[in-house]
């Protein structure tokens, strides 16, 4: 008979591929057989090294699958096989990373990650054997597929090897790979894993080395790379400081939201909620994204109950926060236009270092004006051309301020930066008057004295012809939603360029304009718009006029609530926690046009991320989200309402009792009458929500609990099961009288349910109800309930009802819901009476209850107890029963006492 080593040698040298595969598969067993002899173990490991040179890929792949198991064995037997893994196995794993066969490479990559995860590779080996090979595989002259896979391995192993090795060995090559000009697959892998690298190396390395690369990847010419950047944006943001997050990343994210690619916009809007959550102030929301922040931030929360509840919601889900949406091309171009203009002002403003905050204020003011001016509402709809005044005025303000070295306090807080009353609608009859007879309204003169650039200054006849040609070229592809949106933008631009009355009025106003200022602003605009082509646009002409047409093409963002003035509406959306541009984009996710052009489930993603955004903004800024929440709560898609229903209890914790009562309770009431798919979300957290309400408001829902027994589909038994579980929790929220009057009928109804699972949880509900009523000062409730149990179940004509009574008694005994002396008086006589029941199933369960549960109680083990003798006589009678099962359970003492096991052994436990 061959020895283990002899058998290994015989089949390893076989010409049959399957024999060599079998050898590779049985290596671990062979090692275990010879584990007592160190020499034999070393011999097996040497043969593994020779088998690794096999020419057949399937043999090498099979061998690599066994390496992690063999490594674990070597680690467990390390005293007898020192350095076995490092010397014999690790070189094979590393060598296979560059194997010609794809299956072998994939297997070795998986094996390497498993070995690193289980910490089977020494730190020294990682630095000297693994990392150098990976760096070599990512060299410029390396094979494309191998390079891509090696980059992926480097990114995945970063979190396993730690910050030190990552910064010294992995980070420099990773930065090089982010700029790989030849292989976009490499850049895409880098972008997909960018967040993981940032979280490992920390804030300083992220801001100094990684952020410049991230900005390059976000403007990559391949949309798949930009999409990967959008997907990992939250992780990158968490690794940066609050200042960088606000000043740099927010602007970068706006460019991704405005990306020409639909898929990039989808990913960006999906990450918008998580990204906003990274702006959370730890002192007000309880969120800490890095340990550095948690160490340097004190918690200034008040000690009231609501403050404590908010602190308990640190882990409110902000992640799936998987929301996607789209802006029409005009919005995208406008955002890009705003960003470019901001950069222009920064590039051309000779501001000294001591006035840096003033420069930041100017750029922020411009963004706030242009983005928040959407709230002009119906006025802007009536007079579309006047919408351009706000933006143009801000251009002139910013251009003039760039020449000043200081600002007065009055100018710094000039209301013009935040709001400008639009011009009244211009009567079309002005066109019939002579130019010299037109006398502008004093209000118009006052409101437009800051305007320095005519609206149509950039729209020439050549531009109009170019617009007409572009529209004609796009019309054959009008079926594409993106193309259709572009055509609408171009058509509106063409219409705007032909509005002569407005041009005449603007020309009259423009006569008072300083020629130098006009030239300077035009030069700045044209220079920057032509210079920066990071995000491709339709054309330079369209890019120049998009800023004046924002209101025309952004009707969906305009407020329709005429009960508030435009200024009040704007103020209701302004906050200082996150950049206003990000919040505006998030609030626009409920726009129906986005569902048509980006993703039909955009509103669902918005709803999913809303609790996280609300926690970030804090209850003081709930007014910014209130309208959006109400819109989502009335959305036509039940999935959107279902998402809100599942998270309304978390939102209630964030907002506190006052806002919950005013804003969430009406939505909650609507969900109670919704589809079962929506109601289940409310039902699963019914206790969590109701406990946050005041007692008087909480009692109002007692009348509606009965409605949960009615479902659209009677087969939906899990709905009733969830109701029983919630009622158990609700017992603590209501008084004994309320429990008896309102919850008792529901519990008894569930005890008679057709589905056994619902009945089992209902027995627990009734037993807890008995315990609650017994502890109340008024004892009549518990007596009345037990009498009703006897009448409804113990004397039920159906055997299943009588069996239910035995189950309830068993649960009451097991959970000690009643003192045994009271149980013996109130329920035991009726329970023992069932020993003569004509149905064997009832007697079987009775025998189990008496033998396994009742006699375990000390009260019935006392021989002086008068009830003990009655119980013994009943058990003896059951031991002489005609049914064998009854005699069996009455005679022995099985170990199992679980009610579910008892139920499963009865014939009633069927659906």
């Amino acid at each position: 008979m061959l020895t283990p080593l002899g058998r290994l040698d015989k089949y390893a040298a076989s010409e049959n591929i399957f024999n060599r595969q079998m050898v590779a598969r049985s290596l671990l067993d062979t090692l275990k057989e010879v584990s007592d002899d160190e020499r034999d173990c070393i011999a097996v490991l040497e043969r593994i090294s020779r088998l690794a040179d096999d020419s057949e890929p399937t043999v090498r792949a099979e061998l690599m699958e066994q390496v992690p198991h063999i490594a674990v064995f070597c680690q467990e037997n390390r005293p007898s096989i020192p350095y076995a893994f490092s010397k014999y196995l690790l070189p094979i794993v590393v060598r296979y990373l560059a194997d010609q066969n794809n299956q072998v490479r994939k297997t070795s990559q998986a094996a390497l990650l498993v070995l690193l995860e289980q910490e089977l590779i020494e730190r020294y080996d990682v630095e000297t054997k693994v990392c150098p090979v990976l760096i070599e595989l990512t060299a410029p002259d390396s094979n494309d597929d191998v390079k891509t896979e090696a980059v992926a391995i480097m990114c995945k192993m970063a979190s396993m090897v730690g910050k030190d090795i990552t910064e010294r060995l992995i980070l420099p090559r990773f930065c090089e790979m982010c700029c790989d000009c030849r292989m976009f697959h490499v850049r895409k892998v880098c972008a997909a894993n960018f967040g993981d690298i940032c979280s490992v190396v920390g804030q300083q390395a992220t801001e100094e080395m990684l952020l410049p690369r991230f900005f390059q990847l976000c403007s990559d010419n391949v949309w798949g790379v930009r999409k990967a950047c959008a997907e990992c944006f939250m992780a990158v943001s968490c690794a940066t400081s609050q200042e960088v997050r606000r000043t740099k990343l927010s602007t970068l994210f706006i460019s991704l939201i405005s990306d020409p690619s639909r898929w990039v916009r989808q990913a960006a809007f999906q990450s918008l909620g998580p990204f906003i959550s990274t702006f959370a102030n730890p002192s007000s929301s309880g969120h800490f994204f890095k340990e550095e922040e948690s160490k340097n931030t004190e918690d200034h929360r008040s000690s009231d109950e609501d403050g404590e509840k908010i602190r308990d919601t640190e882990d409110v889900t902000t992640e799936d926060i998987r929301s996607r949406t789209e802006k029409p091309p005009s919005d995208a171009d406008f955002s890009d236009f705003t960003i470019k203009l901001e950069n222009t002002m920064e590039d051309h403003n000779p501001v000294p270092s001591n006035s840096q905050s003033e420069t930041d204020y100017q750029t922020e003011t411009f963004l706030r004006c242009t983005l928040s001016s959407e709230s002009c509402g119906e006025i802007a709809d009536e007079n579309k051309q006047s919408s351009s005044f706000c933006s143009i005025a801000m251009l002139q303000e910013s251009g003039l301020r760039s020449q000043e070295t200081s600002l007065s306090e009055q100018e710094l807080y000039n209301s013009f930066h935040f709001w400008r009353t639009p011009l009244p609608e211009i009567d079309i009859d002005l066109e019939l008057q002579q130019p010299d007879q037109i006398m502008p309204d004093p209000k118009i003169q006052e409101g437009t004295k800051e305007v320095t650039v005519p609206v149509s200054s950039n729209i020439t006849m050549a531009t109009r012809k170019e617009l007409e040609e572009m529209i004609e070229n796009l019309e054959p592809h009008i079926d594409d939603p993106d193309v259709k949106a572009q055509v609408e933008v171009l058509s509106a631009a063409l219409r705007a360029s032909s509005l002569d009355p407005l041009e005449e009025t603007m020309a009259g106003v423009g006569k008072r304009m300083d020629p130098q200022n006009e030239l300077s602003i035009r030069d700045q605009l044209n220079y920057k718009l032509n210079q920066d082509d990071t995000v491709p646009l339709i054309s330079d002409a369209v890019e120049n006029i998009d800023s004046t047409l924002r209101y025309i093409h952004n009707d969906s963002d305009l407020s329709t609530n005429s009960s508030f003035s435009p200024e009040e509406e704007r103020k209701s959306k302004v906050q200082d926690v996150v950049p206003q541009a990000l919040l505006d984009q998030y609030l626009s996710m409920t726009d129906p046009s986005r569902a048509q052009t980006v993703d039909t489930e955009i509103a669902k993603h918005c709803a999913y991320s809303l609790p996280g955004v609300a926690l970030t903004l804090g209850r003081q800024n709930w007014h910014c989200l209130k309208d959006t929440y109400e819109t989502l709560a009335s959305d036509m898609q039940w999935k959107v309402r279902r998402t809100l229903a599942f998270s309304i209890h978390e939102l209630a914790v964030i907002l506190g009792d006052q806002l919950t009562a005013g804003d969430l309770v009406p939505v909650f009431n609507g969900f109670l009458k919704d589809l079962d798919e929506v109601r289940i979300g409310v039902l699963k957290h019914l206790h969590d929500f109701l406990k946050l309400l005041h007692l008087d408001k909480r009692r109002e829902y007692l009348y509606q609990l009965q409605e949960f027994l009615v479902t659209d589909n009677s087969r939906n038994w899990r709905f009733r099961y969830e109701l029983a579980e919630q009622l158990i929790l609700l017992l603590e929220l209501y008084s004994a009288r309320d429990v008896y009057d309102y919850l008792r009928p529901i519990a008894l109804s569930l005890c008679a349910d057709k589905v056994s699972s619902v009945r089992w949880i209902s027995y627990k509900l009734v037993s807890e109800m008995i315990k609650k009523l017994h502890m109340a000062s008024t004892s009549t409730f518990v007596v009345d309930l037990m009498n009703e149990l006897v009448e409804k179940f113990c004397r039920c004509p159906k055997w299943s009802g009588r069996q239910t009574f035995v189950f309830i008694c068993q649960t009451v005994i097991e959970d000690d819901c009643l003192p045994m002396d009271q149980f013996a008086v109130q329920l035991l006589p009726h329970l023992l009476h069932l020993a003569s029941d004509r149905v064997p199933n009832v007697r079987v369960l009775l025998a189990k209850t008496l033998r396994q549960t009742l006699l375990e109680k000390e009260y019935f083990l006392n021989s002086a107890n008068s009830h003990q003798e009655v119980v013994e006589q009943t058990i003896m009678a059951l031991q002489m029963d005609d049914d064998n099962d009854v005699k069996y359970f009455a005679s022995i003492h099985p170990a199992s006492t679980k009610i579910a096991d008892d139920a499963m052994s009865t014939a009633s436990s069927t659906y």
Side-chain angles (χ1 to χ4, degrees):
M1 183 177 178
L2 292 174
T3 62
L5 282 177
R7 186 171 63 251
L8 183 64
D9 290 336
K10 176 183 177 180
Y11 290 105
S14 173
E15 295 182 358
N16 191 324
I17 296 175
F18 298 104
N19 288 340
R20 302 201 300 275
Q21 285 182 348
M22 181 192 67
V23 170
R25 199 176 296 119
S26 61
L27 283 172
L28 181 60
D29 296 333
T30 304
L31 264 179
K32 291 179 179 179
E33 292 180 17
V34 301
S35 59
D36 296 335
D37 190 336
E38 181 178 344
R39 291 184 177 180
D40 289 346
C41 290
I42 297 299
V44 173
L45 293 173
E46 291 175 349
R47 286 162 174 77
I48 291 177
S49 299
R50 290 200 298 266
L51 190 63
D53 297 328
D54 197 288
S55 60
E56 176 58 38
T58 56
V59 177
R60 301 199 301 272
E62 189 68 48
L63 172 62
M64 190 49 55
E65 288 182 1
Q66 302 302 318
V67 165
H69 306 290
I70 299 174
V72 172
F73 176 81
C74 293
Q75 184 71 17
E76 295 173 350
N77 297 271
R78 189 182 183 89
S80 59
I81 320 177
Y83 309 111
F85 173 76
S86 177
K87 182 178 180 180
Y88 296 102
L89 298 180
L90 185 56
I92 301 175
V93 177
V94 173
R95 181 161 52 117
Y96 279 5
L97 291 175
D99 196 275
Q100 295 297 322
N101 184 268
N102 182 58
Q103 182 183 2
V104 177
R105 289 200 311 273
K106 296 292 186 185
T107 310
S108 64
Q109 294 163 14
L112 178 61
L113 293 177
V114 170
L115 295 171
L116 288 170
E117 185 178 5
Q118 298 183 1
E119 298 181 352
L120 295 175
I121 306 180
E122 297 290 341
R123 185 179 184 86
Y124 175 78
D125 291 334
V126 173
E127 295 187 32
T128 59
K129 297 182 179 180
V130 178
C131 289
V133 172
L134 290 175
I135 293 175
E136 182 182 352
L137 293 177
T138 55
D141 57 346
S142 178
N143 179 274
D144 292 343
D145 293 337
V146 174
K147 183 192 296 186
T148 304
E149 295 167 358
V151 172
I153 291 294
M154 291 172 60
C155 297
K156 292 177 182 177
M157 66 182 286
S159 60
M160 304 177 191
V161 300
K163 178 179 180 180
D164 180 54
I165 294 180
T166 302
E167 282 189 337
R168 288 191 293 108
L169 303 177
I170 297 178
L171 185 57
R173 181 50 58 93
F174 178 80
C175 292
E176 293 178 14
M177 294 297 98
C178 290
C179 303
D180 191 303
C181 300
R182 191 168 60 89
M183 284 289 296
F184 83 90
H185 297 286
V186 175
R187 302 196 303 275
K188 185 176 180 181
V189 171
C190 291
N193 296 276
F194 211 95
D196 297 334
I197 298 293
C198 291
S199 62
V200 173
V201 300
Q203 176 178 322
Q204 182 178 358
T206 297
E207 296 181 357
E208 293 179 358
M209 300 184 63
L210 290 176
L211 272 190
R213 310 298 182 191
F214 190 65
F215 272 72
Q216 293 176 5
L217 292 174
C218 287
S219 59
D220 196 277
N221 57 357
V222 178
W223 67 265
V225 178
R226 303 196 302 273
K227 178 176 179 289
C229 291
E231 291 171 346
C232 70
F233 214 93
M234 177 187 178
V236 176
S237 177
C238 290
T240 62
S241 64
Q242 189 72 254
E243 180 183 0
V244 171
R245 198 177 295 147
R246 180 176 293 274
T247 58
K248 297 182 179 180
L249 292 184
S250 59
T251 305
L252 180 63
F253 195 85
I254 291 295
S255 68
L256 291 176
I257 283 184
S258 309
D259 196 272
S261 171
R262 173 175 181 167
W263 309 112
V264 177
R265 294 195 300 271
Q266 281 187 7
F269 276 106
Q270 181 176 344
S271 300
L272 178 56
F275 178 48
I276 289 177
S277 70
T278 62
F279 288 88
N281 184 359
S283 63
S284 61
S285 68
H287 264 190
F288 293 93
F289 294 100
K290 300 187 301 294
E291 292 185 3
E292 296 93 324
E293 290 183 1
S294 64
K295 292 177 182 177
N296 298 329
T297 307
E298 286 186 32
D299 192 352
H300 298 293
R301 288 201 177 286
S302 60
S303 58
D304 59 298
E305 180 180 357
D306 294 331
E308 292 293 332
K309 292 174 182 175
I310 292 181
R311 215 174 12 247
D312 292 336
T313 60
E314 294 179 13
D315 55 346
V316 170
T317 53
T318 60
E319 52 170 307
D320 199 26
I321 311 183
R322 300 168 184 124
S323 53
R324 312 169 190 168
T325 186
E326 177 188 5
K327 262 188 180 290
S330 60
D331 295 355
D333 298 343
F334 182 84
S335 300
D336 186 65
F337 169 85
T338 303
I339 296 166
K340 293 173 182 177
L341 181 60
E342 177 183 300
N343 295 335
T344 303
M345 291 188 291
E346 293 177 354
D347 293 340
H348 294 275
N349 287 354
V351 181
S353 59
N354 59 356
S355 62
Q356 182 62 37
S357 59
E358 298 173 4
T359 305
D360 295 340
Y361 173 77
Q362 296 169 15
T363 57
E364 181 182 356
T365 301
F366 177 78
L367 281 173
R368 185 177 300 162
C369 176
T370 54
L371 292 175
S372 63
S373 60
E374 296 169 10
S375 59
C376 291
E378 297 174 354
I379 299 177
D381 189 61
E382 295 172 359
N383 188 7
K384 299 179 181 179
Q385 291 74 29
S386 64
S387 64
S388 62
F389 290 1
C390 181
S391 300
I392 298 174
M394 273 310 307
L395 301 186
Q396 191 241 4
E397 284 286 316
S398 300
L400 293 177
R401 288 180 180 273
S402 65
Q403 303 173 9
E404 300 176 3
T405 58
S406 62
L407 294 173
S408 65
E409 184 175 354
Q410 181 178 2
E411 280 297 310
L412 193 62
Y413 293 97
N414 193 335
S415 63
F416 187 85
H417 293 298
F418 304 98
W419 176 254
R420 194 64 178 172
T421 305
L423 293 179
E425 184 175 3
I426 300 175
D427 195 332
I428 196 66
D429 291 337
L430 291 175
E431 199 172 9
L432 303 178
Q433 303 180 18
Q434 297 296 327
D436 52 23
Q437 295 175 348
I438 299 177
M439 297 296 297
D441 192 299
K443 294 182 181 179
I444 298 179
Q445 293 180 357
E446 179 182 357
T448 59
K449 62 182 179 182
E450 304 287 351
V451 179
T452 61
V453 182
V455 174
S456 58
S457 60
N458 287 331
I459 305 179
T460 63
M461 290 301 296
T463 302
R464 295 175 185 176
K465 293 181 179 180
E466 182 180 352
L467 291 177
E468 293 174 355
E469 293 177 359
M470 294 175 65
I471 293 175
E472 293 178 0
N473 294 334
L474 291 174
E475 281 181 351
H477 311 284
I478 198 69
D479 294 337
D480 188 340
D482 291 335
V483 175
K484 183 178 180 181
Q486 294 178 9
V487 172
E488 293 175 357
V489 173
L490 297 174
S491 301
L494 192 61
R495 290 195 300 271
S497 66
S498 59
L499 295 177
D500 295 335
L502 180 61
E503 292 181 1
E504 293 178 13
T505 305
M506 290 296 296
V509 176
K511 292 179 180 179
R512 297 185 300 272
M513 180 172 56
D514 186 353
Q516 291 184 349
N517 290 341
E518 177 184 7
L519 182 60
S520 174
I521 295 172
R522 285 184 180 179
D523 290 343
Q524 284 187 2
L525 285 176
N526 294 333
Y527 169 78
K528 191 61 182 178
L529 291 173
N530 293 330
Q531 179 192 47
D532 189 354
D533 57 350
T534 302
V535 180
L537 301 177
I538 300 174
S539 71
D540 293 339
V542 178
E543 185 173 298
N544 288 338
I545 63 175
D546 269 342
S547 61
T548 65
L549 299 174
R550 179 166 179 79
Y551 289 104
I552 300 176
H553 307 298
N554 199 24
D555 294 338
S556 59
D557 291 336
L558 297 177
S559 173
T560 57
N561 191 349
S562 58
S563 61
F564 298 99
S565 66
E567 184 173 0
E568 290 175 342
E569 291 179 2
R570 182 196 62 78
K571 288 182 178 179
S572 68
K573 306 299 182 186
V574 174
Q575 42 72 50
D576 58 356
V577 179
V578 302
Q580 189 64 34
L582 292 178
L583 182 60
D584 290 342
Q585 293 290 349
Y586 178 80
L587 298 179
S588 70
M589 291 171 68
T590 56
D591 186 351
S593 65
R594 298 201 185 279
Q596 298 175 359
T597 57
V598 179
D599 186 7
T600 57
E601 294 190 349
I602 181 66
K604 179 185 175 183
H605 300 308
C606 178
Y608 195 95
S609 61
L610 196 139
V613 176
L615 183 64
T616 301
L617 295 178
R619 66 179 64 174
Q620 69 274 12
N621 291 314
W622 168 243
H623 57 274
C624 299
L625 297 175
K626 180 181 176 182
D627 293 342
T628 299
Y629 187 79
E630 293 175 352
T631 301
L632 293 171
S634 58
D635 195 274
M636 293 294 293
Q637 301 182 69
W638 63 266
K639 291 182 179 180
V640 177
R641 304 194 303 274
R642 174 186 170 92
T643 303
L644 293 181
F646 271 94
S647 62
I648 192 171
H649 66 290
E650 298 285 4
L651 195 57
V653 174
I654 297 170
L655 298 183
D657 54 355
Q658 294 183 356
L659 290 175
T660 296
D663 297 336
L664 297 189
V665 166
V667 176
F668 183 84
N669 294 337
F671 289 157
L672 291 178
K673 303 174 184 179
D674 213 311
L675 301 175
D676 285 353
E677 290 80 3
V678 179
R679 294 170 69 203
I680 188 63
V682 173
L683 181 58
K684 275 186 175 293
H685 303 286
L686 186 63
H687 167 262
D688 297 328
F689 185 82
L690 293 183
K691 74 178 181 181
L692 303 175
L693 304 180
H694 292 296
L695 181 60
D696 54 345
K697 195 69 177 178
R698 189 187 303 156
R699 290 193 74 254
E700 295 179 4
Y701 291 95
L702 287 169
Y703 308 95
Q704 303 182 48
L705 294 176
Q706 190 82 21
E707 299 176 2
F708 282 110
L709 292 174
V710 182
T711 57
D712 298 336
N713 183 4
S714 60
R715 294 180 179 271
N716 188 8
W717 61 268
R718 290 180 178 84
F719 199 91
R720 300 189 297 275
Y721 183 92
E722 189 64 45
L723 173 61
E725 284 192 328
Q726 288 297 312
L727 290 180
I728 294 175
L729 300 175
L730 289 176
L731 292 176
E732 65 178 20
L733 301 182
Y734 294 105
S735 64
R737 173 167 292 279
D738 288 339
V739 169
Y740 184 82
D741 291 343
Y742 297 101
L743 304 188
R744 173 188 54 83
I746 302 176
L748 298 181
S749 174
L750 293 173
C751 285
D753 198 88
K754 296 180 180 180
V755 181
S756 58
S757 296
V758 178
R759 295 196 299 271
W760 296 343
I761 189 66
S762 301
Y763 305 151
K764 175 74 173 177
L765 170 61
V766 173
S767 65
E768 291 295 328
M769 197 173 292
I770 292 175
K771 186 176 183 178
K772 165 85 174 181
L773 298 178
H774 168 70
M775 296 173 63
S777 57
T778 305
S779 60
T780 56
F781 291 133
V782 66
V783 174
D784 294 342
L785 176 58
M786 289 188 288
N787 291 336
E788 187 172 4
L789 291 175
V790 172
E791 291 294 330
K792 184 176 182 66
F793 295 111
C794 184
R795 298 173 183 172
C796 179
K798 293 184 178 181
W799 69 270
S800 58
R802 300 192 296 275
Q803 188 187 56
T804 296
F805 180 78
V806 181
F807 272 127
I808 294 175
C809 292
Q810 184 186 38
T811 310
V812 170
I813 299 170
E814 287 181 344
D815 298 342
D816 294 322
C817 298
L818 270 180
M820 284 299 101
D821 56 345
Q822 292 192 26
F823 178 84
V825 174
Q826 298 292 336
L827 295 177
L828 184 59
H830 305 286
L831 182 64
L832 298 179
H833 178 72
L834 295 177
S836 58
D837 195 277
R838 62 181 183 275
V839 179
N841 297 57
V842 178
R843 302 197 303 274
V844 167
L845 184 58
L846 176 63
K848 286 184 179 182
T849 302
L850 296 179
R851 175 62 75 175
Q852 300 175 12
T853 307
L854 191 66
L855 292 182
E856 290 292 315
K857 299 299 179 181
E858 186 178 355
Y859 181 83
F860 291 97
L861 296 177
N862 188 356
S863 58
N865 193 312
S866 60
H867 301 287
Q868 197 264 353
E869 182 179 355
V870 181
V871 173
E872 290 291 346
Q873 292 177 357
T874 304
I875 289 179
M876 292 179 61
L878 292 174
Q879 290 174 352
M880 301 175 62
D881 196 274
D882 296 335
D883 190 90
N884 292 331
D885 292 332
V886 176
K887 288 191 290 187
Y888 173 79
F889 285 105
S891 301
I892 66 170
H893 188 231
S896 177
T897 60
K898 296 297 183 182
I899 185 173
D901 296 336
D902 295 338
M904 290 297 294
S905 65
T906 61
S908 66
S909 302
T910 56
Y911 179 69

